[in-house]
Amino acid sequence: MQVELYSHGAAQEVTGSKHFIKVQGRQIMIDCGAFQGKRKEADEKNRNWSFNASEVHAAILTHAHFDHSGLLPLLIKNGYEGNVYSTPASRDLSSLIMMDSAHIQAKDIEFLKKKAKKRGEVFEKQPLYTEDDVARTLDHFITVSYHRPFWVEEGVKATFYDAGHILGSASILLEINRNGQQMRIGFSGDLGRKNLPIIRDPEVLPDVDYLIMESTYGHRLHDPIESAMDKLAEVINRTAERGGKIIIPAFAVERTQELIYFIHLLHDQKKIPEIPVYVDSPMAVNATAIFRVHQECYDQETREAFLQHHKNPFGFNEVRYITNVEESKKLNGLTEPAIIISSSGMCEAGRILHHLANNIENPRNTIMIVGFMAEHTLGRRIKEEQPEVKIFGEYYKLKAEVVTMNAFSAHADYSEIMEYVEQLNFKKLKRIFLVHGEPDAQANLKKLLEAKNYSVTIVRYGENYTLQV
């Protein structure tokens, strides 16, 4: 039996997940995500692929985040004709994310064409895909619940396990049985953490021969999730006392809902003042509606804290969900303390840019970083507290307080990854392949795993690895 592993994205980098298992010449693709980073580099990587989409035989989606699902419409557009398997929640969230991306691309191209026209030039580049392409992509989805095995190829069975990362996120068990030989391969997907709000804790996969493991935080330890509420309350109270606003760039999916959940609890416990909370992201508003639908993904704590009391975890008196542009613009005139949660999470697009431009130079304000910021993004530059940052082509002095909340990360840190791996059968596990991590994170995690006598390989872009039975 011939089995190969290779990757055309998120190999020694964090975004753009595109991993492949080839069984007897048949390609199974795990995720088809967009690369995020420097705009020119991102556009180049997202447009030009080093594999043929029409030669892929099956596609499986671990979760809905843009860097895992964002190029599925391009996969279909480029000739893929098979199914896209996902959990029901991932299908709904990825639909929202892909449609939002198509809308943003159309607006960006329109803007660039206008600029080119003013210069007397012709701008010929087209969006990667349109809303019609997304609609066609959704026709390819087959949704499967956790723990329900399904066939993706002859002799290849897959099962989803809860990865505990975002709503509907999954780790994948591939069971290959061909020519009388058997092999089990595990894909962690993006691995979550224990005790995150709303969703269940990550499930450990059954024992596997090979594990393809994410390594985003392979060199960092997070603050305990239990400390998140205390620190959040401190920041809100401190900023409110000096009359400032808390600006939170947050991914519309999962992080925004977690923040609302925590702020709701703090409000109920009277640990923070009655301060208005504005969720300024149409996508976050729609994502929150999807969260309400998929209660099958909730953990027991959420059920006990809210659902048993018939309360909405994502809505209370101080929360205002902003959908239209005029309401968003009015937030610029706020003079009283407030919390503004807006996307995108890495500050590369969306309404958050306007809120940063209007608030970054006021020392009374706080910018709260609550998630991973990829290299070369505005979010990373703010997190690093660079004295000046460029927004909309203009430089702004960073005078607002910057607070990084590591406890909110939805990615396992290296201690949590080690704990996860050590629950697998060491004697059966032949090798761990590291993907989805920057080089320093992967080097540290590799060192830690090898110290425990695991065989570890850092996956390189486009390189083939033969998996022995």
Side-chain angles (χ1 to χ4, degrees), residues 1 3-5 20-23 28 30 156-159 171-176 182-188 205-212 428-429 431 433 467-468:
M1 182 168 66
V3 181
E4 296 171 72
L5 164 71
F20 296 82
I21 290 290
K22 185 187 276 189
V23 181
I28 300 165
I30 311 294
V156 183
K157 185 168 60 176
T159 310
S171 299
I172 301 167
L173 173 67
L174 284 184
E175 297 176 273
I176 304 170
Q182 296 181 333
M183 181 186 295
R184 283 180 151 200
I185 304 170
F187 282 83
S188 71
L205 287 167
D207 294 338
V208 293
D209 299 295
Y210 296 95
L211 176 65
I212 292 81
K428 184 174 176 63
L429 184 57
R431 182 163 292 275
F433 292 93
L467 307 186
Q468 304 290 344

Side-chain angles (χ1 to χ4, degrees), residues 36 39 66 100 104 247-253 255-256 280-284 341-356 368-370 372-373 377-379 382:
Q36 296 167 286
R39 297 201 175 200
F66 188 57
D100 185 69
I104 289 170
I247 311 298
I248 309 178
F251 291 104
V253 175
R255 194 55 41 82
T256 292
D280 187 21
S281 164
M283 187 173 162
I341 304 170
S342 188
S343 57
S344 72
M346 295 191 194
C347 310
E348 282 297 287
R351 294 181 182 179
I352 189 61
L353 296 176
H354 296 277
H355 296 303
L356 289 170
M368 187 185 292
I369 305 296
V370 294
F372 183 82
M373 297 295 175
T377 60
L378 173 60
I382 292 172

Side-chain angles (χ1 to χ4, degrees), residues 243-434:
K245 296 192 278 289
I246 300 116
I247 311 298
I248 309 178
F251 291 104
V253 175
E254 196 69 40
R255 194 55 41 82
T256 292
Q257 291 77 29
E258 286 176 359
L259 286 164
I260 294 299
Y261 177 98
F262 274 134
I263 294 168
H264 191 167
L265 285 176
L266 290 172
H267 179 270
D268 285 356
Q269 295 165 8
K270 302 193 184 307
K271 291 183 177 179
I272 57 173
E274 292 190 354
I275 180 172
V277 181
Y278 298 95
V279 180
D280 187 21
S281 164
M283 187 173 162
V285 174
N286 292 332
T288 304
I290 292 171
F291 267 68
R292 290 185 185 131
V293 169
H294 287 285
Q295 295 184 13
E296 78 276 7
C297 297
Y298 290 4
D299 61 15
Q300 193 57 38
E301 290 86 352
T302 302
R303 295 181 184 282
E304 290 172 0
F306 293 104
L307 300 185
Q308 289 180 8
H309 306 288
H310 307 289
K311 292 172 73 176
N312 174 7
F314 314 114
F316 60 106
N317 290 343
E318 300 301 328
V319 178
R320 283 91 158 155
Y321 286 95
I322 307 295
T323 54
N324 67 58
V325 175
E326 290 308 311
E327 286 180 309
S328 178
K329 287 179 178 177
K330 285 180 183 177
L331 299 182
N332 295 334
L334 286 177
T335 56
E336 299 298 317
I339 300 169
I340 300 174
I341 304 170
S342 188
S343 57
S344 72
M346 295 191 194
C347 310
E348 282 297 287
R351 294 181 182 179
I352 189 61
L353 296 176
H354 296 277
H355 296 303
L356 289 170
N358 279 284
N359 293 283
I360 199 167
E361 294 191 326
N362 186 340
R364 291 183 301 169
N365 297 334
T366 299
I367 300 170
M368 187 185 292
I369 305 296
V370 294
F372 183 82
M373 297 295 175
E375 284 186 310
H376 311 303
T377 60
L378 173 60
R380 175 70 77 93
R381 290 188 279 276
I382 292 172
K383 183 178 179 178
E384 292 171 349
E385 299 188 47
Q386 295 183 12
E388 277 192 336
V389 294
K390 189 188 282 188
I391 306 172
F392 295 128
E394 293 186 21
Y395 282 97
Y396 290 80
K397 294 188 182 302
L398 177 52
K399 293 182 180 178
E401 179 185 1
V402 177
V403 175
T404 297
M405 300 279 282
N406 287 324
F408 280 117
S409 176
H411 284 273
D413 63 19
Y414 69 72
S415 173
E416 292 160 332
I417 291 173
M418 294 295 292
E419 181 185 341
Y420 181 95
V421 170
E422 287 172 353
Q423 291 178 76
L424 296 170
N425 184 341
F426 177 82
K427 291 181 179 178
K428 184 174 176 63
L429 184 57
K430 296 173 181 175
R431 182 163 292 275
I432 299 170
F433 292 93
L434 297 182

Side-chain angles (χ1 to χ4, degrees), residues 52-110:
N52 189 337
S54 64
E55 294 176 358
V56 177
H57 298 96
I60 311 176
L61 179 64
T62 61
H63 67 288
H65 273 153
F66 188 57
D67 63 326
H68 292 259
S69 71
L71 293 188
L72 282 170
L74 199 56
L75 184 73
I76 308 300
K77 196 175 172 182
N78 287 349
Y80 176 66
E81 296 179 346
N83 295 326
V84 177
Y85 298 96
S86 80
T87 64
S90 286
R91 191 262 187 201
D92 290 349
L93 287 173
S94 59
S95 166
L96 178 66
I97 287 169
M98 291 184 296
M99 279 294 186
D100 185 69
S101 171
H103 176 73
I104 289 170
Q105 288 178 58
K107 291 291 184 185
D108 284 349
I109 293 294
E110 185 182 325

